Amino acid sequence: MLRYTVRRLAQMVLVVFALSILLFAWLRSLPGGPVSALLGDRATPESRAALEAQLGLDRPILVQYWSFVSRAVTGDFGTSTGVQRGTPALEVFLQRFPATLELSIMALLLAVAFAIPVGYLAARRRGGWLDNVSIVWSLVGVAVPVFFLAFLLKYVFAVELGWLPASGRQDTGIDATRVTGFFMLDGVLTREWDAAWNAFVHLLLPAVALSTIPFAVIFRITRAAVLDVMDEDYVRTARAKGLTGMVIRRRHVLHNAMLPVVTTIGLQTGALLAGAILTERVFNISGIGQAVALGFERKDFPVLQVVIVSAAMVYVLVNLVVDLSYALIDPRLRTR
Amino acid sequence: MRRRLASAGIAGALAVSLAACAQSERGEAGGEGGTFTFGAAGAPDLFDPFYASDGETFRVTRQMFEGLVSFKPGSAEVEPGLAESWESSPDGKTWTFKTRQGVKFHDGTDFNADAVCKNFERWYNQTGAGQNQALSYYWIENFGGFADGQTPSLYEGCQAPDPNTAVVKLTRATSKFPDILGLDPFMIQSPTALEEYQANNVQAQGDSFVYSEYAKSHPTGTGPFTFESYDQGNGTIRLTRNDEYWGEKAKIQNLVFRVIPDETVRKQELEAGGIDGYDLPNPADLAALREAGNNVQVRDPFNIMYLGVTQKNNPKLADLKVRQALAHAVDRETLVKANMPEGAEVAKQFYPKTVDGYADDVQQYDHNPEKAKQLLAEAGASDLTVNFYWPTEVTRPYMPDPRGIFNTVADDLRQVGVTVNPVSRPWNGGYTDEVDNAKADLFLLGWTGDYNSPDNFIGTFFGTTENRFWTQASPWGEDLANQLQAADSEPDEARRNAMYQDINRKLMSEYLPAVPLSHSPPAIVVSDQVEGLQPSPLTAEVFDTVSISG
């Protein structure tokens, strides 16, 4: 288990390193660049050339990459040129990541909390009303683009009904203390309950919108897995042995059906980060999704590098955790 | 579907109790005078206006800072600001400002003539990164060089013979003075705070610049609002009323800027009551915004959109007849009606008629395809082919719909036999780079004026021969630059205006380096609960006159 973990971690380092090279080269091959963003539309060719020289952007790309790597190992990933101009790129990431994580966790919790019980019940009563309704809903969840659903939810519940906030992470009038950057958690830690509640309410619409795809996928996998397991010989044997329905369902069906479900949850966690880009834009949440969108718009290379590489690291880490939990759930994998 | 309704229903139920809570919370934060929340399209880069050149930074800093002169609310005319009066020497090189008495900076220190001179000296003595155009754009553009003497500077020195008199000396007369002192970068800041928080400590680092502690969190001016906080995690900037303000105090207690980059989201936030106003609404939304009861105010146009011509790569474009043919080919009346917001006008020269030196009798280029064909034939350019650049991923106040404008102009050109090769580039993804590097034959671009001076328009475009129109290739390019320089340096106002009128006539008849297309009025929208907003043609609104009802 330890060797496996170490090997996977080493792979992760390689993946991230390769990605950083590709990303560095690709960003610099794009037209425009930070110099245009810094100088604005009133730049002259002379001022561009002077600024490129001052920032070292006129040097060969390998030299620039080496400079980037040597600074990066000291924790200096450059300074934002457009997203939060003048702020260290790493700080931009650290400041915005909690917003994305908070939103993704909330969406995932919503998806898991509904998808697993509904998937299980739908499988148990295959062909029943819950099964049919859930299948249709899961199809809708996959087919309807997240941003469309986000706009729709926002229009109905924020703009028309005025029940929920239309955007942002917290009301501007709330003078909340920032501790971790997770607004809900901060409210709890500082016992500023209004602030925590306000942050929670701001999260609802975007989280519901973002949870539709993971709900659909986790629901379908749970349903299929439960159906498969219920047809297995050991379940029939358990019934023949006279075990109660509750014990069979908990010990044999649910336990064994969870393996593919956990994998799916892991993969969906990665996908959520991608979905958050659109959701953050619609609900104006200052997360890393919005940073990526603004980063491309304003050619903010340092921020794009930190955010994309870090997102990739999170994705790879999540996959590692999934694989490890696989081993925990299925003892056979531990002995291999 | 039912699940969605159920989920949304739960969300709705949770929100019911909150709605009242959120409403009361907004009210409480408002206090006396309430809170005005404005949706900003972008985050300010920093809070030291001297190092800034972007509108979103200025939108915030102009609430906190004031210059020696101000612009009259609702116009581009200059009026007294921190200087009560001023006069210039006959040669236009020495300017004596009587400064206002009893004015204090937000940190409690006195504003006086000494503070004025310290600000001038700060600007002039920039070194290192501070001299970069990315930071000191407005100084370089308007004053030229710095104290190191590498480039000539308009600024010569500043003296404070008594606490209420500041004497600013220039190396030559200029039409820009004193108007430029109303520009945001030249607002007067507290010398004590500048020093305490090391305002000049800006450095080039990695791919960008790192700002001082002052620029990040201690901006200290004399204006009607003071800085309170910038919450980057929530994208909000909070200012509060300056109760010690020397003039009429702001009506609102709190001024909040919420950064909302997406235009549709800003519109929805206004509809949902999350913000009280935002700038530059999409012209297509104006009718709907009005129908919903909002107050849409259209500013006077103070900009120009032109069809740029680069003479470098296409020798045929160096022929005046060809450029005149292009001007006759474009149906500007239809373009304005079809692609521009209400209040837009056809441009007859390179700046709007409210700017000094406007000439009513310049050569006109009415829409006349036959004349265009004839001129092209005379120039031997009936087979003219052009690379026509237009920008994507952008709207500008003078160019609300680049694609639509491009299509209209390109169709007009095709009608007279010009072969158009369309080239589109993202605004920040190569468009401005390639246009400035003379890759385009024709391009769409424009300009919003900073202050009421012809030099700010045609001086910026053609004041040197190294420009995006490549006027250095023309025998008249240098003459034009010299004429502009001479007009700018003429201290006598009447004579100066006559010189600019003469230049405008020549620009339209003899030179025609580009084709002026339109002046387009940018709009600003506030909810029906907001009163007292005074839109500025310079898009330089100060929100001290705003009040919130209801």
Side-chain angles (χ1 to χ4, degrees), chain A residues 56-85:
Chain A
L57 298 172
D58 56 345
R59 295 176 297 172
I61 190 153
L62 278 177
V63 177
Q64 288 187 51
Y65 182 72
W66 177 247
S67 163
F68 164 72
V69 171
S70 25
R71 281 187 286 117
V73 293
T74 68
D76 173 9
F77 292 87
T79 310
S80 168
T81 55
V83 178
Q84 273 168 235
R85 194 172 152 185

Side-chain angles (χ1 to χ4, degrees), chain B residues 40-52:
Chain B
D45 285 337
L46 69 170
F47 298 109
D48 179 350
F50 178 66
Y51 290 132

Side-chain angles (χ1 to χ4, degrees), chain A residues 123-319:
Chain A
R124 277 197 61 207
R125 297 183 183 121
R126 184 164 28 167
W129 69 267
L130 182 68
D131 192 24
N132 291 330
V133 167
S134 310
I135 285 175
V136 171
W137 170 233
S138 68
L139 280 173
V140 170
V142 173
V144 176
V146 171
F147 74 89
F148 177 74
L149 188 65
F151 264 116
L152 194 70
L153 285 172
K154 187 165 121 173
Y155 183 74
V156 173
F157 292 100
V159 179
E160 284 298 310
L161 297 173
W163 289 355
L164 288 162
S167 71
R169 297 182 67 194
Q170 215 162 39
D171 274 348
T172 51
I174 297 244
D175 191 16
T177 314
R178 304 272 181 255
V179 185
T180 62
F182 296 91
F183 283 13
M184 264 171 67
L185 182 64
D186 287 352
V188 172
L189 291 175
T190 56
R191 295 171 185 269
E192 292 168 0
W193 305 114
D194 276 1
W197 175 244
N198 193 268
F200 171 71
V201 178
H202 274 77
L203 268 178
L204 277 174
L205 284 182
V208 168
L210 188 56
S211 71
T212 49
I213 291 178
F215 168 83
V217 176
I218 296 167
F219 159 76
R220 293 178 80 86
I221 297 291
T222 307
R223 180 179 174 277
V226 170
L227 284 175
D228 277 354
V229 173
M230 284 201 304
D231 286 342
E232 290 284 343
D233 289 344
Y234 58 80
V235 174
R236 211 171 300 135
T237 309
R239 276 202 201 100
K241 280 184 354 191
L243 290 177
T244 63
M246 173 92 86
V247 173
I248 294 171
R249 285 197 290 273
R250 198 159 49 84
R251 280 201 194 151
H252 297 285
V253 178
L254 205 52
H255 189 89
N256 288 304
M258 277 301 98
L259 205 60
V261 174
V262 168
T263 313
T264 308
I265 291 172
L267 293 173
Q268 285 301 308
T269 308
L272 274 175
L273 292 175
I277 292 180
L278 293 171
T279 316
E280 284 176 9
R281 193 154 181 97
V282 174
F283 289 98
N284 194 43
I285 294 169
S286 317
I288 60 163
Q290 201 189 54
V292 169
L294 285 174
F296 275 111
E297 207 174 282
R298 299 171 190 180
K299 300 289 179 296
D300 193 334
F301 295 165
V303 165
L304 287 172
Q305 278 157 195
V306 169
V307 169
I308 294 174
V309 170
S310 306
M313 280 172 73
V314 171
Y315 196 85
V316 178
L317 264 176
V318 167
N319 275 297

Side-chain angles (χ1 to χ4, degrees), chain B residues 481-502:
Chain B
N482 290 338
Q483 289 169 58
L484 285 164
Q485 175 83 3
D488 177 49
S489 299
E490 172 54 54
D492 184 88
E493 195 176 334
R495 205 177 301 157
R496 185 169 68 227
N497 284 345
M499 290 167 87
Y500 275 122
Q501 284 177 342
D502 189 43

Side-chain angles (χ1 to χ4, degrees), chain B residues 156-294:
Chain B
E156 188 171 290
C158 179
Q159 288 175 330
D162 65 65
N164 303 115
T165 308
V167 181
V168 178
K169 289 198 170 168
L170 306 177
T171 53
R172 65 174 176 85
T174 173
S175 63
K176 296 183 278 224
F177 233 68
D179 297 41
I180 47 173
L181 299 181
L183 294 180
D184 300 271
F186 306 129
M187 300 275 161
I188 304 297
Q189 313 195 38
S190 160
T192 312
L194 288 170
E195 194 177 331
E196 185 177 355
Y197 300 105
Q198 300 181 308
N200 291 338
N201 187 21
V202 289
Q203 287 165 9
Q205 186 174 303
D207 289 347
S208 187
F209 295 94
V210 180
Y211 303 118
S212 69
E213 199 51 37
Y214 176 86
K216 284 190 279 191
S217 45
H218 298 283
T220 312
T222 57
F225 294 96
T226 62
F227 182 77
E228 190 180 315
S229 62
Y230 177 21
D231 182 349
Q232 293 197 356
N234 204 24
T236 44
I237 300 115
R238 296 179 64 87
L239 310 182
T240 50
R241 178 167 61 205
N242 173 14
D243 285 321
E244 308 302 317
Y245 185 57
W246 58 269
E248 196 170 326
K249 291 173 188 49
K251 292 188 167 63
I252 44 169
Q253 176 66 33
N254 298 299
L255 174 57
V256 176
F257 293 94
R258 275 188 63 192
V259 181
I260 308 174
D262 191 287
E263 207 253 326
T264 310
V265 178
R266 286 198 293 280
K267 177 170 171 272
Q268 289 186 326
E269 267 298 325
L270 182 73
E271 290 166 342
I275 57 174
D276 300 305
Y278 68 96
D279 202 358
L280 304 178
N282 188 333
D285 291 334
L286 297 189
L289 285 164
R290 280 205 182 99
E291 271 171 35
N294 298 296

Side-chain angles (χ1 to χ4, degrees), chain A residues 9-31:
Chain A
L9 282 171
Q11 278 174 355
M12 194 179 93
V13 172
L14 273 179
V15 167
V16 169
F17 183 63
L19 178 72
S20 78
I21 294 176
L22 284 175
L23 187 64
F24 194 89
W26 177 62
L27 286 176
R28 278 149 188 80
S29 72
L30 297 175

